[in-house]
Amino acid sequence: MKESTESLNFIEHIIEEDLANGFPQEKLRFRFPPEPNGYLHIGHAASICLNFGLGEKYEAPVNLRFDDTNPSKEEQEYVDAIKRDIAWLGFKWANECYASDYFQQLYDWALQMIKDDKAYVDHQTSEQIAAQKGTPTSPGTASPFRNRPIAESLDLFNRMKNGEFPAGSYVLRAKVDMASPNMHMRDPIMYRIINAHHHRTGDKWCIYPMYDWAHGESDYVEQVSHSLCTLEFRAHRELYDWYLDQIYDPSLLRPKQREFARRNLSYTVMSKRKLLELVQKNIVSGWDDPRMPTISGLRRRGYTPTSIRKFSDLAGIAKRDNVTDVSLLEFCIREDLNQTATRVMAVLNPVKLVITNYPEGQTEILHLENNPEEANSGSHEVPFSRELYIEQEDFKEDGGKNFFRLSLGNEVRLKSAYIIKGESVVKDAAGNILEIHVTYDPDSRSGSGTEASERKVKGTLHWVSIAHAITAEVREYDRLFLDEAPDAHEEKSFMEFINPNSLNVIKKAYLEPFLANATMDSKYQFQRLGYFTLDPDSKNGHLVFNKTVGLKDTWAKQNVQTPTQAQPKPQAPAQPQGQKKALNEIQQIGKKLTNLSGDKLESAINSIKVFAEEVSYEELEALFDTPAKKVGTRIAVMLALGVLLNKGQAKTQAALDFILAGKADENELLRVEAEKLN
RNA sequence: UGACCGAUGGUGUAACGGCAGCACAAGAGAUUUUGGUUCUCUUUGUCUAGGUUCGAAUCCUAGUCGGUCAACCA
């Protein structure tokens, strides 16, 4: 049990309220109900962590129930993968259940419903049924078979079950309300005929229940107290309850459905259909490609169960649409791996370094701390010699004052080894650097305790001894999509946003020999580079490492704008939408203004100016007394005022006062914009 | 032009009528044999307009915006 001081999500509030109203805690029961037609992804993890987390919190059983009511889409392979992923996340289900376990019970209940005149067999095409359904704004019309005699429906239903009819010819429909404003209540289909082999029931059945008919009743059979699903099922709730009404025994627990928002992640897609498309079009190598947001992909990438559970915990559960920033996920894995990963050295883009005053042929064994975050993690041996590889990035002939790495005439520390000084470079005819020549301070060996070893130098580099290094293939990954929400564009397919450079393979990286014994489940930090883990593609003698995530890199951030990241996005559509009032847009953009810089700021300012074209002076004047605290809004109003003045609007006293106040404001941008209006 | 659901910093999420908080992200500094970690500090928010109230993010009304709903999918 967690402490009560912790904040609760709305589901937990509901449970607490039920408990407070006398619902016995021992009757609490949850379930995670995947359809075995695809792999689990990070969005499912939210639901898994919610349901199983509730189980842990309230010491209640959680069933794993496969919603296997459609044999034409579902496969055993997916059942196995789903079980593996949930177990890997560290959750234990109370029972492994299948909706198909309840086919007989469901059939018996359906029979009862026909006898109660609550269901009938329809004999029309799906097009006819769809046409009669009406639209959300107009009621439906009854099927000509709606009042078929009970005995006839009973007979037909029996013959449907016996396989006397072809697929699609007959359906069993609930008799609810064709005029209901809720489309799901307009005589929903309960059973359809499907002639496909079911992964568990084989060929025993040729009629299969629909989701709505199977799901609530399965919850009821399992006595699930709180049936949690995603928001798009909100409209199904009425039907969920209606079906329960038909078969409910008041001495038993009655399940209740609640809906929460599905979890979206930035720079990826989360629907099984789209993920499948990536697999089928060979954009990725499979469901477990390390760039995929699937649980299996994340596992292969090097994510840990701890990190994914932490992510679900931090991201939380609520009812509004969301796109969680992928940086939160990255934070979670860094936090975990920082505590646990073994520190090693590897050079991905090598350049040769020669220590000219180090004896030729000499080798020293030095010691590298396994994990500075863990006191008792010990150390491992790393060989040192006269000729080393360092990263190309770590050397510049003339680095400048902010470059803490190796340059000519400057000193740096070789991690866990000696302090060296850049002396000269050897280049080829084209000017490419072939070798960097340095001298070392023999008294400066790490851990030797000498005065020289304690000297402070600006930078520390990782390195490997050329003679001792082993080689490996290293795969670096970037986000799969260039857009923050690739599937949120109505006019464009998510496929148009695929990042062509999401995979970078380094065929030959040099690693310290310690890594020859790397195992599949160990996690490593290649020092100064990031976290890495072995890929299952590794074979004897050919190591393949996946980069899980880089270290935070404040150096890179100051320097380069990495092309795939931080795509400046306009803060508002270029053309005013017309729907929302231009003034509202200006206020909205203004609020965020002080938080922006560079391209984003410029784009926001331009948007404000565009919207300002449609604003009247009277509207704008009302915003002159915006509180000084809301400086962003004031800047936006100032910008808009500028546009109006340009169009010939006279400077009223109110405008003059507003400009004057702006010129005296603490905020620089506001002052600048106010000055411009003089 | 319907019904239902939703709207709190850049992002995610708390605050059940009583000090708008936490995390990520961003920025500044300190420490550092990883430009990592750690530590300190900072910026940024209740969709709009009314109403109820001593007091509203919270309750009410209206509006705006977003989402969902018309598979023999789940």
Side-chain angles (χ1 to χ4, degrees), chain A residues 2 163 266 270 285 320 411 460 470 481 493 623 656 667:
Chain A
K2 294 177 183 171
S266 62
M270 210 65 97
S285 63
R320 68 185 110 122
E411 286 191 324
T460 301
I470 60 170
F481 294 93
S493 157
L623 292 179
L656 287 170
N667 183 283

Side-chain angles (χ1 to χ4, degrees), chain A residues 426-616:
Chain A
V426 179
K427 295 182 184 178
D428 66 12
N432 300 311
I433 296 175
L434 299 178
E435 292 182 2
I436 301 162
H437 286 195
V438 303
T439 52
Y440 85 120
D441 177 352
D443 291 333
S444 64
R445 200 182 78 222
S446 288
S448 62
T450 62
E451 203 175 309
S453 74
E454 311 273 298
R455 278 169 52 212
K456 303 286 180 204
V457 290
K458 264 269 180 68
T460 301
L461 308 187
H462 61 275
W463 51 274
V464 294
S465 165
I466 295 176
H468 305 89
I470 60 170
T471 61
E473 178 178 329
V474 173
R475 298 174 184 167
E476 296 183 301
Y477 305 99
D478 198 353
R479 46 190 57 147
L480 239 190
F481 294 93
L482 294 170
D483 189 89
E484 195 172 86
D487 52 3
H489 303 263
E490 259 175 55
E491 71 293 356
K492 283 183 173 177
S493 157
F494 72 104
M495 297 294 275
E496 292 181 43
F497 299 101
I498 286 176
N499 176 4
N501 304 312
S502 60
L503 171 63
N504 178 37
V505 179
I506 295 163
K507 283 287 177 200
K508 199 171 185 186
Y510 294 87
L511 323 181
E512 61 164 287
F514 176 72
L515 251 9
N517 298 318
T519 59
M520 206 58 80
D521 41 33
S522 346
K523 308 293 180 205
Y524 298 96
Q525 185 197 95
F526 290 6
Q527 274 192 111
R528 305 210 302 131
L529 295 177
Y531 297 100
F532 293 78
T533 195
L534 216 51
D535 188 89
D537 282 349
S538 299
K539 291 179 198 73
N540 228 354
H542 179 69
L543 297 177
V544 179
F545 281 93
N546 291 321
K547 182 172 180 176
T548 307
V549 66
L551 259 26
K552 265 175 73 176
D553 193 345
T554 45
W555 168 240
K557 214 154 46 184
Q558 306 172 17
N559 279 283
V560 223
Q561 295 82 19
T562 49
T564 62
Q565 303 205 347
Q567 294 262 314
K569 280 210 320 184
Q571 290 301 295
Q575 292 89 21
Q577 290 175 320
Q579 308 287 63
K580 202 167 170 179
K581 283 210 188 81
L583 194 70
N584 285 346
E585 291 284 357
I586 290 172
Q587 282 181 285
Q588 204 66 41
I589 300 167
K591 280 181 187 174
K592 301 168 185 171
L593 218 49
T594 52
N595 217 27
L596 303 175
S597 62
D599 289 350
K600 288 187 180 177
L601 177 62
E602 200 175 310
S603 144
I605 288 175
N606 287 335
S607 300
I608 290 171
K609 289 180 177 169
V610 170
F611 285 121
E613 297 286 345
E614 311 201 343
V615 174
S616 73

Side-chain angles (χ1 to χ4, degrees), chain A residues 119-162:
Chain A
Y120 60 96
V121 171
D122 203 350
H123 180 40
Q124 300 185 94
T125 65
S126 56
E127 290 77 16
Q128 285 172 311
I129 292 176
Q132 288 159 5
K133 209 142 207 183
T135 71
T137 50
S138 61
T141 51
S143 161
F145 300 98
R146 195 170 201 259
N147 290 316
R148 191 194 284 284
I150 288 172
E152 207 176 299
S153 278
L154 241 21
D155 172 60
L156 254 13
F157 188 48
N158 186 44
R159 290 165 63 192
M160 279 168 66
K161 188 192 78 158
N162 292 340

Side-chain angles (χ1 to χ4, degrees), chain A residues 86 184 200-201 206 222 255 282 286 291 443 463 498 558 578:
Chain A
I86 297 172
H184 296 100
R200 298 191 81 241
T201 59
C206 54
E222 292 172 25
N282 290 318
R291 291 165 292 179
D443 291 333
W463 51 274
I498 286 176
Q558 306 172 17

